[in-house]
Amino acid sequence: MTFQTILFYLLAALILWATGLAITRRNLVHAVVYLVLSFFGSALLFYLLGAPLLAALEVIIYAGAIMVLFLFIIMMLSGEALREKFHPRRQWLPAGCMGLLFGAVGILMVLHDPAASSPLMPAVASPARFGQHLFQRHWLAIEIVSLLLLVALIGALLIARRGGRRQNPAAEEPA
């Protein structure tokens, strides 16, 4: 077992641990912090696999911009109202069953794939070539994703405003 293999498994364990904590925390700020840790681990994994540009994009886009946006939205929403909506006990059994099913299917796919035992070939591309490929062939998908993020942000702001009015009914009455 090489040092790179050991590092790969350590990073994979770190990513699983951080992601598990991110989805089980009741405090949303803590969940976002663990998710950022998971994104940093994923970036290190990309770097280890020979994709430094993807590692940089993972840190800049996911751990940076999107997580800051999530933190902004969480800070705007009322913490008390969210605690009642997240992690209701009646959703634990279906979520656990789906997790076990997903894990079983993933293990079966890896075990029955003949190419799973062969080493991965590094996919190295220069940033200019990657950007050219991305924006020439996938520009519509990028624009759709950016529009969806904008709509999600506006929706979250509207939900936060409605939640604030419900908690403070005196604010809706005209003076």
Side-chain angles (χ1 to χ4, degrees):
M1 185 176 276
T2 64
F3 177 71
Q4 212 171 13
T5 306
I6 294 170
L7 198 55
F8 174 84
Y9 285 117
L10 284 176
L11 285 172
L14 171 77
I15 293 168
L16 285 175
W17 173 74
T19 305
L21 286 176
I23 62 173
T24 56
R25 300 296 98 185
R26 289 191 175 266
N27 186 330
L28 293 177
V29 175
H30 292 169
V32 167
V33 169
Y34 283 119
L35 198 55
V36 168
L37 183 64
S38 173
F39 288 149
F40 276 115
S42 298
L44 288 173
L45 202 58
F46 283 140
Y47 189 80
L48 183 69
L49 294 175
L53 179 65
L54 285 180
L57 291 176
E58 177 86 14
V59 169
I60 293 168
I61 295 173
Y62 287 103
I66 292 179
M67 286 300 109
V68 168
L69 180 68
F70 280 11
L71 279 175
F72 177 71
I73 291 171
I74 289 169
M75 300 279 180
M76 291 196 64
L77 295 176
S78 170
E80 295 297 322
L82 288 176
R83 282 189 193 136
E84 297 171 1
K85 294 179 183 175
F86 285 100
H87 306 296
R89 294 198 185 270
R90 67 176 190 269
Q91 293 180 355
W92 281 84
L93 182 63
C97 290
M98 291 302 292
L100 287 176
L101 180 66
F102 178 76
V105 169
I107 289 171
L108 286 176
M109 286 177 58
V110 168
L111 291 179
H112 292 297
D113 185 15
S117 61
S118 63
L120 291 176
M121 299 300 295
V124 179
S126 69
R129 187 172 175 153
F130 180 72
Q132 187 178 18
H133 173 78
L134 192 65
F135 286 106
Q136 282 182 346
R137 294 189 180 194
H138 305 289
W139 63 270
L140 183 61
I142 291 171
E143 291 300 322
I144 289 172
V145 167
S146 65
L147 184 65
L148 283 174
L149 285 174
L150 179 65
V151 169
L153 177 63
I154 292 171
L157 287 174
L158 289 176
I159 289 171
R161 283 185 152 189
R162 285 187 197 152
R165 286 184 188 152
R166 285 186 192 148
Q167 289 179 355
N168 189 8
E172 292 183 2
E173 295 177 8

